[in-house]
Amino acid sequence: MEQPVQTETWKARSLEELVRILHQIFAEDKVSVEEVQALMESYESNPEEWLQYAKFDQYRYTRNLVDNGNGKFNLMILCWGEGHGSSIHDHTDSHCFMKILQGNLKETLFEWPEKKGNGEMTKKSERVLRENQCAYINDSIGLHRVENISHTEPAVSLHLYSPPFDTCNTFDQRTGHKHKVTMTFYSQFGERTVC
Amino acid sequence: LPAGLSQWFPALEVLDVSGTGLAEMGTELLSLPCLHTLLAKNNRLGGPGSLPKGLGQAPLARSLRVLNLSGNRFSEVPPALLRLRGLRSLSLGGNRLHSIPPDIQELHSLEFLYLGGNFITAIPPELAKLPSLRYLVLCDNKIQSIPPQLAQLHSLRSLSLHNNLLTYLPREILNLVHLEELSLRGNPLVVRFVRDLTYNPPSLQELAGRTVKTRNVPYAPSDLPESLVRYLSLASNCPNPKCGGVYFDSCVRQIKFVDFCGKYRLPLMHYLCSPECSSPFSSASQSSTSQSESDSEDEASVAAHRMQKVLLG
């Protein structure tokens, strides 16, 4: 495990190593967003290492817990079939890192709607994230929608949320109205969870 | 496909020739009696020889369950494909389809149909004749309307309609009791309440017909000309449960909103028998708050409870 003294530039050579380093980083009081993002990006996706967590569902995207970070973070793998997408959502005051392990995902950023939102939500930007790229978002940056726009390829992404959260708000693009939802795991630690 | 494929691998069950630049699949396929999954995405299929002749008579027609032809160049669904009677899952995503053939109904075992990312402009009502269809993907097309018959897809669990040209949905969509996922984002759905003010007053015939029906005036075929007997049999019930009236040709087409679990407003085509049936709206209120629309939402809210998860924009 590489451990330079001052400028923490990590290189995770495997998924296991990534998790190990994350535990180390999050054991500290202060965690740097740049450090985590660089670490996530440094891991070169190797399907052999994460295939056991990548459980797809025919109808919608799935969330598969990989590690619960001693309560400091949740690391999970999301599997997106062709055409699968999320609603516009926030991140309940947490940090969210999203790294592409396979395929591509389109991320569309939105402004928070006005208090009494009754108009179309404002799109800030959109981009297509490629394999091994890592995006970051939190509530002060805005809201986003993530979707697999491919009609031929499934996509897999690695997400880190800190602190962990299991509820968030979804937003109606046309009106800005929000609705609280509870998120569930399709599988945990490689085992399918029956809800 | 290499010649002799079926001789070397007679027990072949899964064949994946995706991303190989294939332009045609020939007769080698016809002698694979155990083949249940054929993946041929991201190729150059779409021309005349894409699927072999005689497919309908081959063992494949009964054995094939999964066929993935996404990312090819099909501009129409090849008729030979419709002979694959055992097919459960079909993907033609990312091709160049402009329409769906009505004969799609022949694939009566179909459970999964992916047609996203084409140029489809309309959906044939025959699509609704697929009794086992659970997952229907029509996103990223040019669809302008959904036929109300689609509500007959009793097994449908997931319907993907995002990024099309829909301005409204038929109210029958509320009848899809097993629907759990519905994506509608990226459609020019009418947001504000739109009232069709071009209401044509009913004819005397229509008014007489309504009276006969609503007052249960008895009549026998010998009492009336055959054309009127037939006319009376075509009465439709006003969807407003508080009205109980009937209408024939005259109706007010209104775009109404149904609030799904307080989260979203969908415009639906309601056929009402007269503007009076929309009385909550006649009292001038310009805003479309839930109070002013509560009357006509009663019937909808019952159905709305059934549609729990709506994946939307």
Side-chain angles (χ1 to χ4, degrees), chain B residues 55-130:
Chain B
L55 197 56
Q57 292 76 41
L60 204 65
R62 273 169 283 116
S63 69
L64 202 65
R65 297 274 175 269
V66 177
L67 178 59
N68 190 330
L69 294 169
S70 62
N72 279 290
R73 303 169 186 188
F74 287 96
S75 54
E76 57 162 26
V77 178
L81 196 153
L82 301 174
R83 303 282 173 71
L84 299 168
R85 297 200 177 275
L87 211 57
R88 302 249 169 94
S89 168
L90 173 62
S91 176
L92 279 161
N95 275 281
R96 303 171 187 178
L97 301 175
H98 281 83
S99 63
I100 305 169
D103 284 344
I104 192 95
Q105 61 180 314
E106 295 190 16
L107 296 175
H108 51 77
S109 302
L110 212 57
E111 295 173 15
F112 177 108
L113 179 58
Y114 194 109
L115 295 170
N118 280 288
F119 302 105
I120 297 167
T121 53
I123 302 170
E126 288 81 359
L127 187 61
K129 300 248 178 78
L130 296 171

Side-chain angles (χ1 to χ4, degrees), chain A:
Chain A
M1 182 160 66
E2 322 242 322
Q3 200 168 343
V5 181
Q6 277 145 349
T7 56
E8 259 72 81
T9 44
W10 305 101
K11 170 70 182 169
R13 292 165 300 189
S14 72
L15 182 61
E16 245 181 56
E17 187 161 86
L18 173 64
V19 172
R20 237 190 345 256
I21 301 175
L22 281 170
H23 275 259
Q24 202 177 322
I25 291 178
F26 280 91
E28 303 295 321
D29 293 329
K30 287 191 161 203
V31 179
S32 143
V33 165
E34 291 75 25
E35 189 179 356
V36 175
Q37 191 164 5
L39 168 67
M40 295 274 285
E41 216 158 277
S42 79
Y43 166 58
E44 281 170 43
S45 172
N46 179 355
E48 269 177 35
E49 292 168 1
W50 48 256
L51 224 45
Q52 56 173 309
Y53 304 108
K55 301 181 190 304
F56 282 81
D57 182 88
Q58 216 180 43
Y59 302 112
R60 52 165 302 156
Y61 73 93
T62 62
R63 306 169 79 243
N64 305 275
L65 184 65
V66 174
D67 191 274
N68 57 20
N70 285 335
K72 296 280 186 71
F73 63 84
N74 267 352
L75 187 70
M76 63 189 77
I77 281 179
L78 271 61
C79 297
W80 314 74
E82 291 88 316
H84 288 177
S86 76
S87 52
I88 303 174
H89 57 274
D90 63 11
H91 297 88
T92 321
D93 292 323
S94 290
H95 302 275
C96 159
F97 300 83
M98 172 171 72
K99 179 199 173 70
I100 313 296
L101 295 177
Q102 178 184 300
N104 302 291
L105 287 175
K106 176 173 159 187
E107 181 194 31
T108 310
L109 287 181
F110 289 87
E111 302 275 10
W112 280 87
E114 300 296 308
K115 274 263 150 63
K116 280 276 179 182
N118 229 331
E120 179 98 24
M121 284 174 70
T122 313
K123 223 184 261 195
K124 270 170 64 158
S125 64
E126 63 181 46
R127 57 175 167 168
V128 175
L129 296 159
R130 311 278 169 200
E131 279 184 16
N132 285 314
Q133 270 189 283
C134 180
Y136 169 78
I137 194 169
N138 66 45
D139 283 351
S140 67
I141 293 174
L143 309 165
H144 71 180
R145 181 198 304 287
V146 180
E147 37 186 345
N148 178 10
I149 53 174
S150 172
H151 298 293
T152 58
E153 312 306 325
V156 181
S157 53
L158 181 69
H159 295 236
L160 186 144
Y161 298 102
S162 179
F165 59 95
D166 58 9
T167 66
C168 71
N169 290 300
T170 63
F171 294 78
D172 175 352
Q173 186 169 348
R174 296 184 325 151
T175 59
H177 289 154
K178 69 179 186 199
H179 182 80
K180 187 172 172 183
V181 293
T182 305
M183 296 115 76
T184 57
F185 290 114
Y186 193 77
S187 76
Q188 296 194 37
F189 315 113
E191 302 283 327
R192 175 87 172 89
T193 44
V194 185
C195 14

Side-chain angles (χ1 to χ4, degrees), chain B residues 157-215:
Chain B
R157 270 195 52 179
S158 179
L159 177 58
S160 164
L161 292 169
H162 59 271
N163 299 331
N164 273 290
L165 299 172
L166 298 170
T167 50
Y168 67 91
L169 293 179
R171 60 188 289 270
E172 287 82 357
I173 210 133
L174 293 172
N175 297 338
L176 289 168
V177 289
H178 293 117
L179 197 68
E180 291 174 12
E181 311 281 340
L182 171 61
S183 67
L184 290 168
R185 64 185 182 278
N187 279 288
L189 293 172
V190 176
V191 179
R192 294 190 185 289
F193 171 64
V194 169
R195 186 163 177 176
D196 184 347
L197 296 171
T198 61
Y199 171 62
N200 294 315
S203 61
L204 277 176
Q205 177 176 288
E206 164 118 17
L207 289 172
R210 288 188 189 184
T211 307
V212 167
K213 281 288 169 182
T214 53
R215 308 239 174 157

